[in-house]
Structures are given as C-alpha cells and as structure tokens.
Amino acid sequence: MPSDTSGFPPPGDKKSLEEGDVFTPKFGADGLIPAITVDSEDGAVLMFAYMNAEALRKTLETGEAHYWSRSRNSLWHKGETSGHVQKLVEMITDCDQDAIVLRVQQTRAACHTYRRSCFYRRVETPGGQRLSFIE
C-alpha cells in the first residue's frame, strides 16, 4: 500500500496552489500522483508511472527516479536491477499540483522491453484501432 503523504505540506486554497511558491503535491485517494518521465535532451516521453510520497521524497533526496509499483505493491528505484537509472534534471508540476513531469538523463533503455521509451507503438486511426511499431 502506498505510504501516506506526510512530509509534504497539505494543498492550500486555489490561489496558493496555482500561484504560490510552495510545493504541495496533491496525491489521489490512493496516495499516488501521476508522473510523466521525459528525456531532458530531446523531450521524448519515456514512461508514465505513479509516485507515492516516499518515492517522491527519495527522488528529490537522491536525484534518481523512484516510483511506486502498483503491480508489485512496492517502492521501485528505476534502474536498481537493470542499471537503466534515471538522473533527475528537473521536476515540474501542473497548475493544481496533481501531476508531475520528471526531466531525466536516461541510462540506456527506459522500458522493461529494453526500448528507449515505453511508448513504442502508434495507434492507427481512424476506425482500424491497429497498433504499429514506431522506429
């Protein structure tokens, strides 16, 4: 189960949330916040995952990406076993602080399939709903 959101200030009113200078991440009812990870050099989307408060704290403390694995129900340090670590370059949050983007330097592949990105298939439209591989 994701840990609680302690350690981060609670979100304030709308004005302070949108215009203030305090990071107050807004975790969902499940204790998770969506995290989109992009390459810091070319902006390519590498992956999408979730973070709980512990993963977010560890990412900020260590400078390497940590996530919450919903399938394993545990904290996950990206690259811990594969060596495909993600070095944090910048973290940004959206207007209501309920999603974050991590800009990272990716070591080798981001995807567990050993591809650069987890987003390696295009949905062909209209009507066919087929997948094609992106080179």
Side-chain angles (χ1 to χ4, degrees), residues 27-72:
F27 297 90
D30 57 4
L32 302 175
I33 189 168
I36 302 161
T37 306
V38 301
D39 187 281
S40 64
E41 295 202 14
D42 65 8
V45 177
L46 299 175
M47 57 180 275
F48 170 83
Y50 291 94
M51 294 177 141
N52 65 355
E54 182 182 10
L56 187 51
R57 276 193 303 274
K58 285 190 175 285
T59 299
L60 292 169
E61 289 168 3
T62 67
E64 292 186 354
H66 291 71
Y67 302 99
W68 177 260
S69 171
R70 295 182 306 160
S71 62
R72 293 186 297 247

Side-chain angles (χ1 to χ4, degrees), residues 26 65 89 97:
K26 190 173 165 187
V89 172
Q97 299 193 45

Side-chain angles (χ1 to χ4, degrees), residues 45-126:
V45 177
L46 299 175
M47 57 180 275
F48 170 83
Y50 291 94
M51 294 177 141
N52 65 355
E54 182 182 10
L56 187 51
R57 276 193 303 274
K58 285 190 175 285
T59 299
L60 292 169
E61 289 168 3
T62 67
E64 292 186 354
H66 291 71
Y67 302 99
W68 177 260
S69 171
R70 295 182 306 160
S71 62
R72 293 186 297 247
N73 203 35
S74 65
L75 189 67
W76 159 41
H77 176 200
K78 178 67 175 161
E80 183 174 31
T81 56
S82 68
H84 299 181
V85 297
Q86 295 175 337
K87 298 276 187 191
L88 183 64
V89 172
E90 180 180 42
M91 182 183 293
I92 58 177
T93 188
D94 68 340
C95 56
D96 53 2
Q97 299 193 45
D98 65 355
I100 57 174
V101 174
L102 284 73
R103 291 184 59 239
V104 302
Q105 290 177 331
Q106 177 68 53
T107 303
R108 295 185 289 283
C111 185
H112 74 281
T113 65
Y114 296 98
R115 290 178 171 89
R116 176 176 185 241
S117 169
C118 293
F119 296 91
Y120 58 88
R121 295 188 290 178
R122 179 177 292 114
V123 178
E124 299 293 333
T125 55

